[in-house]
């Protein structure tokens, strides 16, 4: 997009027209994802976001205003809501980041079952040190080579300014994945469990290991259904992306509705 989020130089009429068009595309995608997914996961955020989700998601991705004016964030003690939703997209208050994490985790678990794989979420007592750490948001009892796999789900704020030393957003995403590997991989290896961090960006994109998991799930689902692997991989990506966007839109709507500043 030629106009940056911060500059605000896009003419209002053009922005509104673009948002309407994008809203229609995202709404169509949301409907097709819902059909493909069957009964959708019900969380407080997803229920609340449903009526306005496509338009709000489109405005955020296009850099159009979500709120009519800046305001103090009602979900945290230190944040200020900017009109573009930047703060709300990664506000640590209100439980929205946890809900989004859990939404992605639960979807990976459901996809695994669709792929006829045995899984367990938040598997406890995995590590030899007796710690309460849980490296397996999703635990596969048998992965591609028969080895168990622990998958740790992590969201990354890809709109934040890049720290010094990083040249791209994907470098930053992979740095988060590396930090998870340092934290958990050796401990998982010690108990005979493979480890992959499943890192996703706040506006899309997945880390290298997450892509490996996505592709394998798509291939396994295709094998179970007798369909094309490429099509199922694309559906898996779409379901994950829509889950991330829906939870994020829920965070925008919750704050904006509470303060009466949501742009309809």
């Amino acid at each position: 997009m030629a106009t940056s989020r911060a500059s605000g130089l896009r003419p209002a009429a053009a922005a509104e027209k673009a948002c309407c068009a994008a809203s229609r595309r995202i709404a169509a995608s949301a409907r097709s994802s819902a059909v493909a997914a069957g009964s959708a996961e019900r969380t407080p955020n997803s229920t609340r976001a449903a009526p306005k989700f496509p338009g709000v998601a489109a405005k955020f991705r296009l850099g159009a205003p979500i709120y009519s004016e800046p305001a103090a964030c009602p979900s945290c003690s230190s944040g200020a809501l900017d009109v573009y939703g930047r703060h709300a997209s990664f506000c640590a208050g209100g439980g929205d980041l946890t809900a989004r994490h859990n939404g992605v985790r639960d979807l990976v678990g459901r996809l695994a079952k669709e792929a006829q794989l045995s899984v367990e979420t938040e598997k406890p007592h995995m590590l030899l040190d007796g710690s309460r750490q849980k490296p397996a948001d999703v635990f596969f009892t048998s992965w591609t080579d028969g080895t168990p796999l622990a998958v740790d789900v992590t969201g990354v704020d890809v709109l934040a300014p890049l720290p010094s030393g990083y040249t791209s957003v994907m470098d930053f995403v992979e740095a988060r994945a590396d930090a998870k590997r340092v934290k958990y991989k050796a401990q998982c290896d010690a108990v005979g469990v493979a480890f992959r961090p499943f890192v996703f960006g706040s506006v899309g994109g997945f880390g290298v290991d997450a892509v490996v998991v996505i592709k394998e799930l798509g291939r396994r689902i295709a094998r179970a259904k007798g369909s094309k692997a490429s099509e199922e991989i694309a559906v898996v990506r779409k379901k994950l992306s829509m889950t991330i966007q829906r939870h994020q839109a829920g965070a925008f709507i919750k704050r904006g509705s509470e303060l009466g500043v949501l742009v309809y």
Side-chain angles (χ1 to χ4, degrees):
M1 184 174 65
T3 304
S4 69
R5 185 183 308 278
S7 67
L9 297 179
R10 181 191 291 277
E16 185 64 27
K17 182 177 180 181
C19 283
C20 290
S23 295
R24 289 191 293 270
R25 291 195 299 272
I26 292 177
S29 180
R31 286 192 295 271
S32 66
S33 293
V35 170
S39 58
E41 173 195 9
R42 288 295 181 186
T43 65
N45 275 0
S46 64
T47 300
R48 182 164 44 238
K52 314 179 189 73
F53 150 64
V56 172
K59 286 183 177 184
F60 180 66
R61 293 183 68 84
L62 287 166
I66 295 172
Y67 303 124
S68 58
E69 59 187 43
C73 179
S75 298
C76 67
S77 58
S78 58
L81 289 179
D82 57 287
V83 297
Y84 299 106
R86 171 68 188 84
H87 169 78
S89 72
F90 230 84
C91 174
D96 299 292
L97 296 186
T98 299
R100 185 176 65 187
H101 167 276
N102 292 349
V104 173
R105 176 202 65 196
D106 292 347
L107 177 57
V108 171
R110 292 197 302 272
L111 291 167
K113 291 177 180 178
E114 188 177 348
Q116 299 183 352
L117 293 166
S118 176
V119 294
E120 180 180 348
T121 57
E122 300 288 349
K123 183 175 177 63
H125 314 305
M126 274 186 54
L127 305 178
L128 293 176
D129 63 3
S131 71
R132 299 179 64 183
Q133 291 183 327
K134 292 185 289 187
D137 287 310
V138 184
F139 180 79
F140 294 80
T141 57
S142 179
W143 193 235
T144 53
D145 59 354
T147 302
L149 173 67
V151 171
D152 182 280
V153 175
T154 303
V156 174
D157 181 6
V158 297
L159 295 178
L162 286 175
S164 176
Y166 294 99
T167 59
S168 72
V169 168
M170 286 311 299
D171 285 344
F172 184 52
V173 167
E174 281 307 304
R176 286 293 297 274
D178 285 341
K180 289 289 186 177
R181 294 184 189 103
V182 169
K183 184 176 182 180
Y184 289 130
K185 188 176 185 306
Q187 295 182 78
C188 287
D189 287 345
V191 293
V193 176
F195 175 78
R196 288 189 182 276
F198 193 99
V199 182
F200 64 88
S202 54
V203 292
F206 299 92
V208 171
D209 274 0
V211 171
V212 170
V213 172
I214 288 168
K215 289 183 175 180
E216 184 60 22
L217 288 174
R219 285 191 288 264
R220 294 289 190 102
I221 292 170
R223 192 180 309 163
K225 294 169 61 175
S227 52
K228 292 183 179 179
S230 59
E231 293 176 357
E232 297 299 340
I233 291 168
V235 169
V236 170
R237 280 183 174 270
K238 179 185 289 187
K239 288 180 178 180
L240 286 162
S241 295
M242 295 303 293
T243 294
I244 295 165
Q245 290 184 56
R246 182 172 295 279
H247 278 279
Q248 192 153 263
F252 299 150
I253 292 168
K254 180 176 75 174
R255 290 162 175 77
S257 298
E258 185 171 337
L259 296 173
V261 296
L262 190 68
V263 175
Y264 292 89

